[in-house]
Amino acid sequence: FALFDKKGHGVVSTEDLGRVMKVFNLNPSQIELHNMITEVDGSGKGAVDFAEFMKMMSRGGSSISAEMKETFTIFTEGRPKLTAGDLKRLFTALGENIDDAGINEMIKVAGGEGGGVTYEQFEHVVSQAN
């Protein structure tokens, strides 16, 4: 969530969401971003807090869920696991400096072994946070 909320305001705006989606080679229009936020924005503030964000990201069967699965496959180049190297590239692209110990801890928390995290493990982590 903190990767999306770059300003540290406790909410994710359409601008924040669009910035991170571009890292995953997704290019939704401003209208699509607005609609994604509006679907789960219970307060009408035009941004989502952590709980709303997790609801949005874990929607089974939604287009974002399908896009995330497809992006996972693209980002891993068809491999079944997201590796430490993949995560390092992702965080670097987002302007975050995460050391190898931090990356390895993320993989461990997700239930991954030394080889990385499967999409199912990733999906489980996202759904547990909801």
Side-chain angles (χ1 to χ4, degrees):
F1 182 78
L3 290 175
F4 286 80
D5 180 21
K6 277 304 242 189
K7 295 177 184 170
H9 295 261
V11 295
V12 171
S13 67
T14 55
E15 177 185 335
D16 298 326
L17 183 60
R19 178 181 52 78
V20 175
M21 291 185 78
K22 285 179 183 170
V23 170
F24 287 102
N25 294 321
L26 299 173
N27 293 301
S29 69
Q30 282 299 105
I31 292 171
E32 290 170 320
L33 291 168
H34 175 76
N35 289 342
M36 289 167 61
I37 297 264
T38 302
E39 283 180 23
V40 295
D41 179 16
S43 63
K45 62 188 169 293
V48 293
D49 60 25
F50 181 73
E52 293 166 334
F53 175 81
M54 294 311 296
K55 181 179 178 184
M56 177 177 67
M57 298 308 281
S58 65
R59 293 197 121 149
S62 70
S63 62
I64 186 71
S65 179
E67 287 177 5
M68 285 186 70
K69 173 67 172 163
E70 181 179 342
T71 300
F72 183 91
T73 302
I74 292 168
F75 202 68
T76 62
E77 299 173 343
R79 294 182 320 272
K81 293 186 177 184
L82 186 65
T83 66
D86 295 329
L87 288 172
K88 188 75 168 176
R89 283 190 302 281
L90 169 64
F91 285 111
T92 300
L94 290 169
E96 298 293 327
N97 186 18
I98 309 281
D99 63 18
D100 291 344
I103 297 286
N104 290 332
E105 182 64 21
M106 288 178 206
I107 290 172
K108 182 179 175 185
V109 167
E113 299 291 323
V117 177
T118 66
Y119 183 76
E120 291 74 19
Q121 290 167 322
F122 170 77
E123 189 175 47
H124 180 73
V125 168
V126 171
S127 69
Q128 290 299 312
N130 189 6

